[in-house]
Amino acid sequence: MAQFDALRTGSISGARAAEIDEGLRAHMNKVYGTMSVGMLITFAAAWAISGLATTTDPSLAVGQIGTDTYLTATGAAIYTSPLRWVIMFAPLIFVFGLSAAINRISAAAAQTAFYAFAAVMGLSISSIFLVFTGTSIAQIFLITAIAFASLSLYGYTTKKDLSAMGTFLMMGLIGLIVAMLVNLFLQSSGLAFAISAIGVLIFAGLTAYDTQRIKTEYVAHAAHGDTEWLGKSAIMGALSLYLNFINMFMMLLSLFGQRE
């Protein structure tokens, strides 16, 4: 926060402060723009894949999942075969891989990898179009977007240092992931409800925290002219906010979505 405080209090020269402030706005626009494109890729991929997975023609079906709705061979491979485990954990592997490789690849390669990750995430969550109504998905998405925008705006504008809550939120996130893995085997509806409710709070907090972190990291590195790092930082910042949005959306959908 030191560089950010220096910028805010004016201890950085006026011309340099104005330059950093202008660069910060461009940096945040790139973060939100990259995140938005990733979101578009994810939901387009999820919708397209769900279409390939279902049919209304019984002659093409390998199983029935609803009134006049059948599962195709593609759908059976994605949702009922052992391949589903690969699809489930593929986004997590992508995140770890991109995080580990970010210092060895270019900003352009990192952006391409992010968009590939967004497509894989679309495959992973495509079942929402089979489980929930389209209206419900749209409503929850709108609610999530409004909440996300409000929380991110708070993280960007607040004078309060949110770094202290970062460790607490990360500990909560680790506990949440462990609980989710355990519930894959327990299949407890009560535990699933608790995971979703707590998860919404954790990712809401992370949205504000990550927004402020992205902002302060930009100010710290811009003061030293680390342009290559800043390009990669925008991609990783977009990834952080994207994950917060997707997870908050999925957990709100689990809590309040209307099922088919």
Side-chain angles (χ1 to χ4, degrees):
M1 291 289 289
Q3 290 287 348
F4 174 62
D5 290 338
L7 178 63
R8 179 166 55 84
T9 58
S11 58
I12 295 178
S13 65
R16 183 57 177 154
E19 182 183 346
I20 292 176
D21 189 55
E22 181 180 354
L24 174 61
R25 288 195 294 270
H27 182 75
M28 295 305 295
N29 284 338
K30 183 175 181 180
V31 169
Y32 289 123
T34 302
M35 172 195 160
S36 298
V37 173
M39 202 74 65
L40 180 63
I41 291 172
T42 293
F43 282 96
W47 178 80
I49 292 165
S50 67
L52 293 173
T54 58
T55 182
T56 56
D57 185 353
S59 65
L60 301 176
V62 297
Q64 186 169 6
I65 57 174
T67 305
D68 298 326
T69 304
Y70 303 90
L71 201 62
T72 64
T74 299
I78 294 173
Y79 303 126
T80 65
S81 77
L83 179 62
R84 73 184 188 276
W85 296 105
V86 177
I87 292 171
M88 182 184 300
F89 290 106
L92 189 61
I93 295 170
F94 244 99
V95 169
F96 285 132
L98 181 56
S99 299
I102 191 65
N103 292 325
R104 301 192 301 272
I105 61 177
S106 66
Q111 185 167 6
T112 300
F114 171 72
Y115 291 148
F117 161 75
V120 171
M121 180 64 83
L123 172 61
S124 181
I125 69 169
S126 60
S127 61
I128 64 173
F129 288 98
L130 280 62
V131 177
F132 299 96
T133 65
T135 300
S136 180
I137 292 171
Q139 289 173 340
I140 299 299
F141 183 89
L142 180 60
I143 292 169
T144 306
I146 293 171
F148 176 89
S150 301
L151 291 161
S152 192
L153 180 62
Y154 171 76
Y156 187 83
T157 59
T158 184
K159 300 295 191 294
K160 182 179 179 181
D161 184 359
L162 303 179
S163 58
M165 64 189 288
T167 302
F168 173 78
L169 289 170
M170 291 308 298
M171 289 175 61
L173 179 58
I174 292 171
L176 190 71
I177 293 172
V178 171
M180 292 172 69
L181 291 174
V182 169
N183 206 39
L184 285 176
F185 302 99
L186 295 181
Q187 294 295 306
S188 167
S189 59
L191 181 56
F193 179 87
I195 288 170
S196 296
I198 295 171
V200 169
L201 298 177
I202 289 174
F203 288 108
L206 282 172
T207 297
Y209 166 76
D210 282 333
T211 301
Q212 187 180 83
R213 176 182 56 80
I214 293 165
K215 179 181 179 181
T216 55
E217 285 181 355
Y218 174 85
V219 174
H221 286 80
H224 297 91
D226 299 337
T227 54
E228 177 64 20
W229 185 92
L230 291 173
K232 297 178 183 179
S233 174
I235 305 303
M236 297 307 292
L239 176 62
S240 297
L241 294 180
Y242 167 96
L243 288 171
N244 293 338
F245 187 104
I246 285 290
N247 281 290
M248 191 157 46
F249 165 76
M250 292 296 292
M251 290 177 180
L252 284 171
L253 189 64
S254 176
L255 289 172
F256 305 113
Q258 181 178 355
R259 298 177 182 271
E260 292 280 10

